[in-house]
Amino acid sequence: MTDDRKTTVPVWTLATADVRVPGLTAGESMTAERLTELRGVLAVLADEPIVTLEAHPLPAKIDRAKGLPLDAASPLAQHLSQFITQSTRSSLTAARATASGENLYRIVVPAKVAAQLGQGTIRLMEPKGAAGHVFGDIVNTTTGRIAAKASLVPVGGAAAAGTVGGAGATAGAAAAGGTVLTVAAPLVLMAVAVGVSAHADHKRQQAIEHITELLEQLQQDKLDDEHSALNGSRAAIDKATAILLDEGKLGVSLGLDSAVHTIDTALGKADLRLARWQSALDSLPEGEAVELDTLTKSFPGVGDHGGTFRAHLELASLAIALMRRVVILQAVESAQSDSGNPFKNFTRALKRDQQRLDEMESSIATVLVRLSALELASPNGLRPVFTTGEVERLMRAAYRIRRLGDGVTVNNRTTDVAIEIARSKDGSVVVFPALPA
């Protein structure tokens, strides 16, 4: 639902550790563009990650099924509720904006920090027909439409969210005056972890849909088995996610170890296939047209609607999406085991473990771009004239191969990351997949 009403909403600046920055003016209205500038300044000048939190009216229609639900007793919901309660005591704007108990909270993580989450985790979305531009309005995650045209009012002197213990040991109150920011590491950590995990699960769902369609056409038992094994690991990951987000401890009985082994095996197969694809492309004569039959020997079905090559691509995407969720779990566990600076531990663990996945995604993207740039040659043969069917097959194949490069980003430009959280009156929340801000 599009809501073009101008709404005044509060915005808080949250730090993940005790940090000072040049004075911030509290209580003055600003535009979305001005807020973007403020984020950039904070990212450059602050020694620790600083995010902004906005509280928007909850859209009348919102598809909660697209997010990860957490009940009111979950740490993230509790951190958010405590933050709201303490903030409304010192800000009339915040009190009015959150009075209904139902809001869409939007946390924006600066690009400087988002880069540490892995470049393949969040892709920059460019609107069609406007290359080089990004969406600048406040967008509802579930519909992709503008949720509100908002005037933003910075709220200063708010108390921090969270309680000491678990991932929340660094939470503390911020002093008023605009130079010391709210320290809310637990809230930021949990929001980022759930938002990025939801994004990875959304990618998993997309891959599953594509794989199911492709395997129905191919009817290959080996690919079916590979798909089933990968999809079967989801249950263990879901259980582990639920436990860690409740600040619990992972146990062997969850089956996460066997799930990780299955995913690692799939990633190993994807690595092997990727190496073969790269070798096949390197062996092609540079600058010369390639026959379709020659190309299909290394890329089976590349010119068809389905094909084994496309199934292998989707299986690789599924394995990467599942492993990204595992990496997030490992990062959260690492952060919770050392409460000294949970968010820094979290981003450090993510950055280290995401590198392999980022490199694989980038390499697959490069293969697709190289394939899409190939020129198909006419079939060799003694006949000077080809049938209408042969010509149509070649034209269809050329079109499908060119389309392989659509939407592919080899070197993803770092962007701010937004995580939207829908909060209900009972305190429960739904966290939507993280998206470019």
Side-chain angles (χ1 to χ4, degrees), residues 73-363:
S74 65
L76 174 58
Q78 288 185 351
H79 293 322
L80 184 58
S81 294
Q82 291 168 14
F83 178 85
I84 295 166
T85 299
Q86 296 182 39
S87 296
T88 54
R89 293 172 184 168
S90 58
S91 170
L92 184 58
T93 300
R96 288 172 176 170
T98 59
S100 68
E102 293 185 325
N103 291 90
L104 184 68
Y105 293 90
R106 191 171 193 258
I107 292 179
V108 179
V109 181
K112 179 181 177 181
V113 179
Q116 301 174 33
L117 307 181
Q119 69 169 7
T121 305
I122 308 296
R123 296 264 182 216
L124 182 64
M125 178 173 56
E126 294 188 353
K128 293 181 180 179
H133 294 74
V134 297
F135 293 109
D137 287 311
I138 298 164
V139 178
N140 179 359
T141 304
T142 58
T143 65
R145 296 180 178 178
I146 297 171
K149 296 283 189 181
S151 297
L152 301 126
V153 179
V155 179
T163 56
V164 176
T170 62
T179 56
V180 181
L181 307 180
T182 300
V183 182
L187 175 58
V188 177
L189 167 64
M190 285 294 179
V192 171
V194 183
V196 175
S197 182
H199 179 84
D201 194 58
H202 177 64
K203 300 294 287 185
R204 179 199 63 82
Q205 292 174 17
Q206 288 181 322
I208 286 290
E209 292 172 2
H210 295 156
I211 292 170
T212 301
E213 180 182 350
L214 290 170
L215 294 188
E216 287 175 353
Q217 300 172 14
L218 294 172
Q219 297 180 342
Q220 293 190 23
D221 292 339
K222 288 185 178 180
L223 291 179
D224 272 328
D225 292 342
E226 194 173 334
H227 168 226
S228 298
L230 272 174
N231 200 33
S233 65
R234 180 198 171 192
I237 294 174
D238 284 346
K239 291 176 185 176
T241 301
I243 289 175
L244 273 183
L245 294 180
D246 282 337
E247 296 183 353
K249 298 294 182 182
L250 298 181
V252 178
S253 61
L254 285 174
L256 189 60
D257 288 346
S258 59
V260 172
H261 174 72
T262 299
I263 300 169
D264 271 331
T265 301
L267 288 174
K269 291 180 180 180
D271 263 330
L272 183 60
R273 289 164 182 158
L274 176 59
R276 289 173 179 167
W277 296 338
Q278 291 170 327
S279 177
L281 287 170
D282 291 340
S283 66
L284 296 176
E286 189 174 353
E288 296 183 16
V290 183
E291 285 191 42
L292 181 58
D293 290 341
T294 300
L295 201 59
T296 53
K297 289 179 181 178
S298 300
F299 304 92
V302 68
D304 300 329
H305 176 64
T308 303
F309 171 64
R310 282 173 164 75
H312 286 164
L313 284 175
E314 294 300 338
L315 285 169
S317 296
L318 175 57
I320 290 171
L322 288 169
M323 185 53 79
R324 287 201 186 279
R325 289 197 67 188
V326 171
V327 168
I328 293 162
L329 292 177
Q330 294 169 340
V332 171
E333 187 175 33
S334 173
Q336 290 180 349
S337 65
D338 182 0
S339 59
N341 193 332
F343 193 77
K344 182 173 288 187
N345 295 335
F346 172 71
T347 53
R348 186 187 299 117
L350 268 183
K351 183 178 181 180
R352 181 183 64 249
D353 295 334
Q354 294 274 24
Q355 188 173 356
R356 176 194 176 192
L357 303 177
D358 291 341
E359 290 175 353
M360 180 179 288
E361 264 194 339
S362 180
S363 297

